[in-house]
Amino acid sequence: MPHIVMESIIKSYGDVRVLDGCSLSVEKGQVMTLLGPSGCGKTTLLRTLAGFVEPDAGRVLVGGIDITALPPNRRSVGYVFQNYALFPHLTVAENVAYGLKVRRRPGPEIKDRVARALDIVSLGPLGDRYPAQLSGGQQQRVAIARVLVLEPDVLLLDEPFNALDAKLRLSMQTELRKLIERLGITSIFVTHDQSEAMMLSDQVAVMRAGTFEQVAPPLAIYDRPANPFVATFIGRANILPVGLRAGAVVDFPAVVAERPDGPADLIVRPENLTLAAGRIDPGTGQSGPPGTVLFAIAQGPTIEYEVDAGFPEPLRVTVNRRSGEVPLAAGSPVSIGVIDPAACRVIERGTP
Ligand SMILES: Nc1ncnc2c1ncn2[C@@H]1O[C@H](COP(=O)(O)OP(=O)(O)O)[C@@H](O)[C@H]1O
Ligand SMILES: [Mg+2]
Protein backbone atom coordinates (compact mmCIF):
# COMPACT_ATOMS: atom_id res chain seq x y z
CA MET A 1 0.00 0.00 0.00
CA PRO A 2 1.59 3.33 -1.03
CA HIS A 3 1.96 5.93 1.72
CA ILE A 4 0.23 8.70 -0.24
CA VAL A 5 -2.53 8.10 -2.74
CA MET A 6 -4.34 10.80 -4.70
CA GLU A 7 -7.21 9.42 -6.76
CA SER A 8 -8.69 11.22 -9.79
CA ILE A 9 -8.46 14.69 -8.25
CA ILE A 10 -10.56 17.29 -10.07
CA LYS A 11 -10.59 20.99 -9.22
CA SER A 12 -12.02 23.94 -11.13
CA TYR A 13 -11.93 27.65 -10.42
CA GLY A 14 -14.96 29.13 -12.13
CA ASP A 15 -15.13 27.35 -15.47
CA VAL A 16 -11.37 26.73 -15.62
CA ARG A 17 -10.46 23.15 -14.79
CA VAL A 18 -7.10 23.40 -13.03
CA LEU A 19 -6.75 19.73 -12.01
CA ASP A 20 -8.23 17.31 -14.50
CA GLY A 21 -8.23 13.86 -12.93
CA CYS A 22 -4.79 13.65 -11.28
CA SER A 23 -3.91 10.26 -9.79
CA LEU A 24 -0.66 9.75 -7.97
CA SER A 25 0.82 7.36 -5.43
CA VAL A 26 4.02 7.72 -3.43
CA GLU A 27 5.74 4.92 -1.53
CA LYS A 28 6.85 5.45 2.06
CA GLY A 29 10.12 7.37 2.33
CA GLN A 30 10.23 8.26 -1.35
CA VAL A 31 10.55 11.66 -2.98
CA MET A 32 8.02 12.45 -5.71
CA THR A 33 8.54 15.57 -7.77
CA LEU A 34 5.79 17.44 -9.57
CA LEU A 35 7.44 18.98 -12.60
CA GLY A 36 5.70 21.18 -15.13
CA PRO A 37 5.43 24.66 -16.62
CA SER A 38 4.11 27.56 -14.61
CA GLY A 39 0.33 27.44 -14.19
CA CYS A 40 -0.09 23.71 -14.86
CA GLY A 41 -1.55 23.05 -11.38
CA LYS A 42 1.42 21.91 -9.27
CA THR A 43 0.72 24.19 -6.30
CA THR A 44 -3.00 23.47 -6.43
CA LEU A 45 -2.34 19.72 -6.26
CA LEU A 46 0.06 20.14 -3.34
CA ARG A 47 -2.45 22.34 -1.52
CA THR A 48 -5.11 19.70 -2.08
CA LEU A 49 -2.92 17.18 -0.30
CA ALA A 50 -2.28 19.62 2.55
CA GLY A 51 -5.99 20.39 2.88
CA PHE A 52 -5.89 24.06 1.85
CA VAL A 53 -7.79 23.29 -1.35
CA GLU A 54 -10.95 21.21 -1.40
CA PRO A 55 -11.17 19.08 -4.55
CA ASP A 56 -14.44 18.96 -6.52
CA ALA A 57 -13.98 15.22 -6.91
CA GLY A 58 -11.44 12.56 -6.01
CA ARG A 59 -9.89 11.23 -2.81
CA VAL A 60 -6.70 11.78 -0.81
CA LEU A 61 -5.36 8.93 1.34
CA VAL A 62 -2.36 8.95 3.65
CA GLY A 63 -1.32 5.67 5.24
CA GLY A 64 -4.45 4.07 3.82
CA ILE A 65 -6.77 6.53 5.60
CA ASP A 66 -9.08 8.80 3.61
CA ILE A 67 -8.25 12.36 4.71
CA THR A 68 -10.13 14.18 1.94
CA ALA A 69 -12.55 15.77 4.42
CA LEU A 70 -10.01 16.60 7.16
CA PRO A 71 -8.96 20.22 7.76
CA PRO A 72 -5.24 21.02 7.32
CA ASN A 73 -4.47 21.03 11.05
CA ARG A 74 -5.82 17.47 11.45
CA ARG A 75 -3.51 16.16 8.70
CA SER A 76 0.03 15.09 9.53
CA VAL A 77 1.35 17.00 6.53
CA GLY A 78 4.16 19.56 6.72
CA TYR A 79 4.14 22.30 4.07
CA VAL A 80 7.19 24.42 3.26
CA PHE A 81 5.89 27.47 1.43
CA GLN A 82 7.37 28.98 -1.70
CA ASN A 83 8.42 32.17 0.16
CA TYR A 84 9.56 30.90 3.52
CA ALA A 85 6.98 32.98 5.44
CA LEU A 86 9.14 33.29 8.58
CA PHE A 87 7.97 35.67 11.32
CA PRO A 88 10.48 38.56 11.15
CA HIS A 89 9.95 39.64 14.78
CA LEU A 90 10.60 36.15 16.20
CA THR A 91 14.03 34.55 16.61
CA VAL A 92 14.96 31.41 14.72
CA ALA A 93 14.17 29.24 17.77
CA GLU A 94 10.85 31.06 18.32
CA ASN A 95 9.93 30.60 14.67
CA VAL A 96 10.60 26.88 14.95
CA ALA A 97 8.74 26.65 18.28
CA TYR A 98 5.66 28.45 16.95
CA GLY A 99 3.73 25.42 15.72
CA LEU A 100 4.35 23.52 18.98
CA LYS A 101 3.14 26.53 21.04
CA VAL A 102 -0.04 26.70 18.98
CA ARG A 103 -0.50 23.01 19.77
CA ARG A 104 0.03 23.83 23.49
CA ARG A 105 2.91 21.42 24.04
CA PRO A 106 4.65 21.76 27.43
CA GLY A 107 7.66 24.13 27.61
CA PRO A 108 10.45 21.58 28.22
CA GLU A 109 9.20 19.40 25.34
CA ILE A 110 9.16 22.43 23.02
CA LYS A 111 12.72 23.33 23.99
CA ASP A 112 13.90 19.79 23.30
CA ARG A 113 12.18 19.39 19.99
CA VAL A 114 13.26 22.82 18.73
CA ALA A 115 16.89 22.02 19.60
CA ARG A 116 16.66 18.73 17.74
CA ALA A 117 15.00 20.27 14.67
CA LEU A 118 17.66 23.01 14.52
CA ASP A 119 20.38 20.36 14.78
CA ILE A 120 18.87 18.41 11.89
CA VAL A 121 19.23 21.43 9.61
CA SER A 122 22.63 22.38 11.09
CA LEU A 123 21.39 25.64 12.62
CA GLY A 124 21.97 24.69 16.26
CA PRO A 125 24.10 27.73 17.16
CA LEU A 126 21.86 30.30 15.40
CA GLY A 127 18.68 29.90 17.47
CA ASP A 128 18.86 33.43 18.89
CA ARG A 129 19.20 35.24 15.59
CA TYR A 130 16.39 36.96 13.72
CA PRO A 131 15.50 35.94 10.13
CA ALA A 132 16.93 39.20 8.73
CA GLN A 133 20.32 38.21 10.19
CA LEU A 134 20.41 34.98 8.16
CA SER A 135 21.43 34.18 4.58
CA GLY A 136 18.81 32.95 2.11
CA GLY A 137 19.97 29.36 2.53
CA GLN A 138 19.77 29.60 6.32
CA GLN A 139 16.26 31.08 6.18
CA GLN A 140 15.29 28.18 3.95
CA ARG A 141 16.60 25.74 6.56
CA VAL A 142 14.61 27.50 9.30
CA ALA A 143 11.48 27.08 7.16
CA ILE A 144 12.22 23.36 6.87
CA ALA A 145 13.02 23.01 10.61
CA ARG A 146 9.75 24.74 11.45
CA VAL A 147 7.90 22.02 9.58
CA LEU A 148 10.07 19.07 10.71
CA VAL A 149 9.64 20.00 14.38
CA LEU A 150 5.98 18.96 14.07
CA GLU A 151 7.14 15.48 12.98
CA PRO A 152 4.79 15.23 10.02
CA ASP A 153 4.27 11.92 8.18
CA VAL A 154 4.53 13.75 4.88
CA LEU A 155 6.70 16.67 3.80
CA LEU A 156 5.55 18.99 1.01
CA LEU A 157 7.90 21.55 -0.52
CA ASP A 158 6.71 24.09 -3.08
CA GLU A 159 9.61 25.36 -5.19
CA PRO A 160 11.75 25.72 -2.04
CA PHE A 161 14.89 26.95 -3.79
CA ASN A 162 13.44 29.67 -5.97
CA ALA A 163 14.84 32.54 -3.94
CA LEU A 164 18.38 31.13 -3.83
CA ASP A 165 21.23 31.86 -6.23
CA ALA A 166 22.49 29.05 -8.48
CA LYS A 167 25.43 27.95 -6.33
CA LEU A 168 23.49 27.89 -3.06
CA ARG A 169 20.65 26.09 -4.82
CA LEU A 170 22.96 23.24 -5.75
CA SER A 171 24.27 22.77 -2.23
CA MET A 172 20.77 23.05 -0.69
CA GLN A 173 19.43 20.48 -3.16
CA THR A 174 22.11 18.02 -2.13
CA GLU A 175 21.56 18.79 1.58
CA LEU A 176 17.80 18.37 1.28
CA ARG A 177 18.17 15.06 -0.52
CA LYS A 178 20.48 13.76 2.25
CA LEU A 179 18.14 15.06 4.96
CA ILE A 180 15.07 13.38 3.46
CA GLU A 181 16.99 10.12 3.07
CA ARG A 182 18.18 10.30 6.69
CA LEU A 183 14.70 11.03 8.05
CA GLY A 184 12.97 8.63 5.65
CA ILE A 185 10.07 11.06 5.36
CA THR A 186 7.73 10.69 2.38
CA SER A 187 8.04 13.91 0.40
CA ILE A 188 6.45 15.67 -2.52
CA PHE A 189 8.43 18.42 -4.05
CA VAL A 190 7.34 20.97 -6.67
CA THR A 191 9.64 22.46 -9.26
CA HIS A 192 9.66 23.77 -12.81
CA ASP A 193 13.40 23.05 -13.04
CA GLN A 194 14.12 19.73 -14.74
CA SER A 195 17.68 19.31 -13.46
CA GLU A 196 16.42 19.82 -9.90
CA ALA A 197 13.79 17.14 -10.51
CA MET A 198 16.38 14.73 -11.91
CA MET A 199 18.62 15.23 -8.92
CA LEU A 200 16.15 15.07 -6.05
CA SER A 201 13.54 12.54 -6.98
CA ASP A 202 12.80 8.86 -6.84
CA GLN A 203 9.84 9.51 -9.12
CA VAL A 204 8.92 12.45 -11.33
CA ALA A 205 5.38 13.34 -12.34
CA VAL A 206 5.47 15.50 -15.46
CA MET A 207 2.38 17.74 -15.45
CA ARG A 208 0.75 19.69 -18.21
CA ALA A 209 -2.53 21.61 -17.96
CA GLY A 210 -3.86 19.75 -14.93
CA THR A 211 -2.97 16.20 -15.95
CA PHE A 212 0.03 13.93 -15.73
CA GLU A 213 1.83 13.20 -18.96
CA GLN A 214 4.16 10.62 -17.42
CA VAL A 215 5.02 9.38 -13.92
CA ALA A 216 8.25 7.39 -13.64
CA PRO A 217 11.78 7.45 -12.20
CA PRO A 218 13.72 10.41 -13.65
CA LEU A 219 16.12 8.39 -15.78
CA ALA A 220 13.28 6.29 -17.18
CA ILE A 221 11.59 9.53 -18.24
CA TYR A 222 14.80 10.79 -19.80
CA ASP A 223 15.44 7.52 -21.64
CA ARG A 224 11.84 6.68 -22.58
CA PRO A 225 9.79 9.87 -22.71
CA ALA A 226 6.12 9.09 -23.29
CA ASN A 227 5.60 11.84 -25.83
CA PRO A 228 7.25 14.90 -27.45
CA PHE A 229 6.12 17.26 -24.65
CA VAL A 230 7.87 15.15 -22.01
CA ALA A 231 10.93 14.69 -24.23
CA THR A 232 11.44 18.43 -24.62
CA PHE A 233 10.53 19.26 -21.03
CA ILE A 234 13.12 16.84 -19.59
CA GLY A 235 16.41 17.35 -21.37
CA ARG A 236 16.76 18.41 -25.00
CA ALA A 237 15.35 16.45 -27.87
CA ASN A 238 14.96 16.53 -31.63
CA ILE A 239 11.34 15.90 -32.58
CA LEU A 240 11.47 14.97 -36.25
CA PRO A 241 8.51 14.44 -38.55
CA VAL A 242 9.39 11.23 -40.37
CA GLY A 243 7.78 8.56 -42.47
CA LEU A 244 7.53 4.87 -41.57
CA ARG A 245 7.98 2.26 -44.26
CA ALA A 246 8.31 -1.50 -43.91
CA GLY A 247 8.78 -1.31 -40.14
CA ALA A 248 11.57 1.30 -40.16
CA VAL A 249 12.01 5.08 -40.16
CA VAL A 250 12.61 6.23 -43.73
CA ASP A 251 15.36 8.76 -42.96
CA PHE A 252 16.98 6.60 -40.27
CA PRO A 253 16.60 3.00 -41.48
CA ALA A 254 18.44 1.69 -38.38
CA VAL A 255 15.49 2.84 -36.26
CA VAL A 256 12.85 0.15 -36.41
CA ALA A 257 9.20 0.71 -35.58
CA GLU A 258 6.68 -2.11 -35.67
CA ARG A 259 3.96 0.15 -36.99
CA PRO A 260 1.97 0.53 -40.16
CA ASP A 261 3.44 2.76 -42.87
CA GLY A 262 2.63 6.44 -42.41
CA PRO A 263 3.69 9.66 -40.68
CA ALA A 264 5.26 9.67 -37.18
CA ASP A 265 7.45 11.73 -34.89
CA LEU A 266 10.93 10.49 -34.13
CA ILE A 267 12.30 11.59 -30.74
CA VAL A 268 16.08 11.49 -30.64
CA ARG A 269 18.38 13.10 -28.07
CA PRO A 270 21.20 15.30 -29.48
CA GLU A 271 23.83 13.10 -27.79
CA ASN A 272 22.41 10.02 -29.51
CA LEU A 273 23.30 11.41 -32.94
CA THR A 274 26.72 11.36 -34.56
CA LEU A 275 28.06 13.45 -37.34
CA ALA A 276 30.88 12.76 -39.76
CA ALA A 277 32.49 15.17 -42.19
CA GLY A 278 31.57 14.59 -45.81
CA ARG A 279 28.69 12.70 -47.33
CA ILE A 280 29.84 9.29 -46.10
CA ASP A 281 28.49 6.68 -43.80
CA PRO A 282 29.48 7.95 -40.34
CA GLY A 283 30.96 4.54 -39.59
CA THR A 284 28.46 3.51 -36.94
CA GLY A 285 26.65 1.34 -39.42
CA GLN A 286 23.58 3.42 -38.63
CA SER A 287 23.54 5.82 -41.51
CA GLY A 288 21.02 8.60 -41.57
CA PRO A 289 20.36 11.52 -43.86
CA PRO A 290 23.03 13.80 -45.33
CA GLY A 291 23.18 17.32 -43.93
CA THR A 292 24.90 20.67 -43.91
CA VAL A 293 26.33 22.34 -40.79
CA LEU A 294 24.42 25.54 -39.98
CA PHE A 295 26.08 26.47 -36.72
CA ALA A 296 28.58 24.95 -34.31
CA ILE A 297 29.78 25.89 -30.87
CA ALA A 298 32.53 24.13 -28.89
CA GLN A 299 31.96 23.78 -25.15
CA GLY A 300 35.20 22.12 -24.04
CA PRO A 301 34.11 18.52 -23.63
CA THR A 302 31.46 18.66 -26.38
CA ILE A 303 30.59 20.38 -29.64
CA GLU A 304 26.99 21.42 -30.21
CA TYR A 305 25.98 21.37 -33.87
CA GLU A 306 22.90 22.61 -35.65
CA VAL A 307 22.55 20.79 -38.94
CA ASP A 308 20.18 21.24 -41.85
CA ALA A 309 19.17 17.67 -42.68
CA GLY A 310 16.02 18.45 -44.58
CA PHE A 311 13.71 18.64 -41.55
CA PRO A 312 11.60 21.70 -40.74
CA GLU A 313 13.81 22.49 -37.73
CA PRO A 314 17.61 22.27 -37.59
CA LEU A 315 18.84 18.97 -36.17
CA ARG A 316 20.73 19.35 -32.90
CA VAL A 317 23.73 17.07 -32.52
CA THR A 318 26.03 16.90 -29.49
CA VAL A 319 29.36 15.21 -30.12
CA ASN A 320 32.16 14.47 -27.68
CA ARG A 321 35.13 16.65 -28.50
CA ARG A 322 38.61 15.19 -28.83
CA SER A 323 41.56 17.24 -27.59
CA GLY A 324 42.53 19.78 -30.23
CA GLU A 325 39.37 19.25 -32.29
CA VAL A 326 37.76 22.36 -33.74
CA PRO A 327 34.14 22.40 -34.92
CA LEU A 328 33.32 21.87 -38.58
CA ALA A 329 32.63 25.19 -40.30
CA ALA A 330 29.15 26.30 -41.26
CA GLY A 331 28.38 25.02 -44.76
CA SER A 332 30.35 21.78 -44.29
CA PRO A 333 28.63 18.70 -45.72
CA VAL A 334 28.12 15.98 -43.10
CA SER A 335 26.50 12.60 -42.62
CA ILE A 336 24.22 12.04 -39.68
CA GLY A 337 24.11 8.77 -37.79
CA VAL A 338 22.26 7.34 -34.80
CA ILE A 339 24.42 5.83 -32.06
CA ASP A 340 21.77 3.71 -30.32
CA PRO A 341 18.68 3.20 -32.49
CA ALA A 342 16.92 1.46 -29.59
CA ALA A 343 17.11 4.69 -27.56
CA CYS A 344 15.02 6.56 -30.16
CA ARG A 345 11.28 6.83 -29.71
CA VAL A 346 8.81 6.67 -32.54
CA ILE A 347 5.42 8.21 -31.75
CA GLU A 348 2.45 8.08 -34.08
CA ARG A 349 1.51 11.50 -35.40
CA GLY A 350 -1.36 13.14 -33.61
CA THR A 351 -0.15 12.30 -30.10
CA PRO A 352 0.24 15.58 -28.17
N1 LIG B 1 -7.51 30.40 -5.81
C1 LIG B 1 -7.52 30.45 -7.15
N2 LIG B 1 -8.52 31.06 -7.82
C2 LIG B 1 -8.55 31.07 -9.17
N3 LIG B 1 -7.61 30.52 -9.96
C3 LIG B 1 -6.58 29.91 -9.35
C4 LIG B 1 -6.48 29.83 -7.93
N4 LIG B 1 -5.36 29.13 -7.63
C5 LIG B 1 -4.78 28.81 -8.80
N5 LIG B 1 -5.52 29.27 -9.85
C6 LIG B 1 -5.20 29.06 -11.27
O1 LIG B 1 -4.97 27.68 -11.46
C7 LIG B 1 -3.91 27.45 -12.39
C8 LIG B 1 -2.85 26.59 -11.75
O2 LIG B 1 -2.23 27.30 -10.70
P1 LIG B 1 -1.06 26.69 -9.82
O3 LIG B 1 -1.55 25.43 -9.19
O4 LIG B 1 -0.59 27.76 -8.90
O5 LIG B 1 0.04 26.35 -10.92
P2 LIG B 1 1.61 26.08 -10.75
O6 LIG B 1 1.92 25.90 -9.30
O7 LIG B 1 1.85 24.84 -11.56
O8 LIG B 1 2.31 27.25 -11.35
C9 LIG B 1 -3.42 28.82 -12.79
O9 LIG B 1 -4.02 29.15 -14.01
C10 LIG B 1 -3.91 29.73 -11.68
O10 LIG B 1 -4.12 31.03 -12.16
MG1 LIG C 1 3.21 27.01 -8.03
Side-chain angles (χ1 to χ4, degrees), residues 38-39 41-44 82 158-159 190:
S38 183
K42 305 180 295 293
T43 296
T44 306
Q82 209 161 339
D158 193 351
E159 311 220 20
V190 165

mmCIF file of all heavy atoms in Angstrom, residues 38-39 41-44 82 158-159 190, ligand 2:
data_model
loop_
_atom_site.group_PDB
_atom_site.id
_atom_site.type_symbol
_atom_site.label_atom_id
_atom_site.label_comp_id
_atom_site.label_asym_id
_atom_site.label_seq_id
_atom_site.Cartn_x
_atom_site.Cartn_y
_atom_site.Cartn_z
ATOM 1 N N SER A 38 4.859 26.695 -15.496
ATOM 2 C CA SER A 38 4.107 27.563 -14.608
ATOM 3 C C SER A 38 2.621 27.522 -14.970
ATOM 4 O O SER A 38 2.268 27.540 -16.143
ATOM 5 C CB SER A 38 4.677 28.977 -14.760
ATOM 6 O OG SER A 38 4.015 29.820 -13.877
ATOM 7 N N GLY A 39 1.771 27.402 -13.957
ATOM 8 C CA GLY A 39 0.330 27.440 -14.194
ATOM 9 C C GLY A 39 -0.302 26.099 -14.513
ATOM 10 O O GLY A 39 -1.501 26.013 -14.748
ATOM 11 N N GLY A 41 -0.758 23.596 -12.489
ATOM 12 C CA GLY A 41 -1.548 23.053 -11.384
ATOM 13 C C GLY A 41 -0.751 22.401 -10.265
ATOM 14 O O GLY A 41 -1.328 21.790 -9.361
ATOM 15 N N LYS A 42 0.565 22.565 -10.276
ATOM 16 C CA LYS A 42 1.422 21.911 -9.273
ATOM 17 C C LYS A 42 1.062 22.348 -7.845
ATOM 18 O O LYS A 42 0.843 21.511 -6.967
ATOM 19 C CB LYS A 42 2.908 22.229 -9.547
ATOM 20 C CG LYS A 42 3.369 21.873 -10.944
ATOM 21 C CD LYS A 42 4.847 22.198 -11.155
ATOM 22 C CE LYS A 42 5.209 23.668 -11.085
ATOM 23 N NZ LYS A 42 4.650 24.494 -12.177
ATOM 24 N N THR A 43 1.017 23.676 -7.634
ATOM 25 C CA THR A 43 0.725 24.187 -6.296
ATOM 26 C C THR A 43 -0.676 23.778 -5.860
ATOM 27 O O THR A 43 -0.885 23.372 -4.704
ATOM 28 C CB THR A 43 0.886 25.723 -6.269
ATOM 29 O OG1 THR A 43 2.260 26.025 -6.526
ATOM 30 C CG2 THR A 43 0.493 26.300 -4.930
ATOM 31 N N THR A 44 -1.619 23.832 -6.768
ATOM 32 C CA THR A 44 -3.003 23.465 -6.426
ATOM 33 C C THR A 44 -3.070 22.005 -5.966
ATOM 34 O O THR A 44 -3.748 21.681 -4.986
ATOM 35 C CB THR A 44 -3.935 23.699 -7.632
ATOM 36 O OG1 THR A 44 -3.781 25.050 -8.073
ATOM 37 C CG2 THR A 44 -5.384 23.451 -7.274
ATOM 38 N N GLN A 82 6.500 28.479 -0.649
ATOM 39 C CA GLN A 82 7.369 28.985 -1.698
ATOM 40 C C GLN A 82 8.245 30.142 -1.185
ATOM 41 O O GLN A 82 9.441 30.142 -1.390
ATOM 42 C CB GLN A 82 6.490 29.437 -2.869
ATOM 43 C CG GLN A 82 7.157 29.333 -4.205
ATOM 44 C CD GLN A 82 6.139 29.345 -5.347
ATOM 45 O OE1 GLN A 82 4.962 29.054 -5.165
ATOM 46 N NE2 GLN A 82 6.590 29.668 -6.528
ATOM 47 N N ASP A 158 7.127 23.416 -1.849
ATOM 48 C CA ASP A 158 6.706 24.088 -3.083
ATOM 49 C C ASP A 158 7.810 25.007 -3.575
ATOM 50 O O ASP A 158 8.029 26.071 -3.012
ATOM 51 C CB ASP A 158 5.419 24.879 -2.834
ATOM 52 C CG ASP A 158 4.777 25.328 -4.140
ATOM 53 O OD1 ASP A 158 5.409 25.181 -5.212
ATOM 54 O OD2 ASP A 158 3.641 25.829 -4.083
ATOM 55 N N GLU A 159 8.508 24.595 -4.605
ATOM 56 C CA GLU A 159 9.614 25.360 -5.193
ATOM 57 C C GLU A 159 10.492 25.989 -4.109
ATOM 58 O O GLU A 159 10.660 27.203 -4.066
ATOM 59 C CB GLU A 159 9.069 26.445 -6.132
ATOM 60 C CG GLU A 159 8.043 25.882 -7.116
ATOM 61 C CD GLU A 159 8.153 26.432 -8.523
ATOM 62 O OE1 GLU A 159 9.215 26.966 -8.875
ATOM 63 O OE2 GLU A 159 7.166 26.293 -9.267
ATOM 64 N N VAL A 190 7.794 20.323 -5.431
ATOM 65 C CA VAL A 190 7.339 20.967 -6.665
ATOM 66 C C VAL A 190 8.470 21.762 -7.288
ATOM 67 O O VAL A 190 9.180 22.486 -6.590
ATOM 68 C CB VAL A 190 6.161 21.929 -6.387
ATOM 69 C CG1 VAL A 190 5.919 22.859 -7.579
ATOM 70 C CG2 VAL A 190 4.889 21.157 -6.088
HETATM 71 MG MG MG B 2 3.207 27.007 -8.035
#
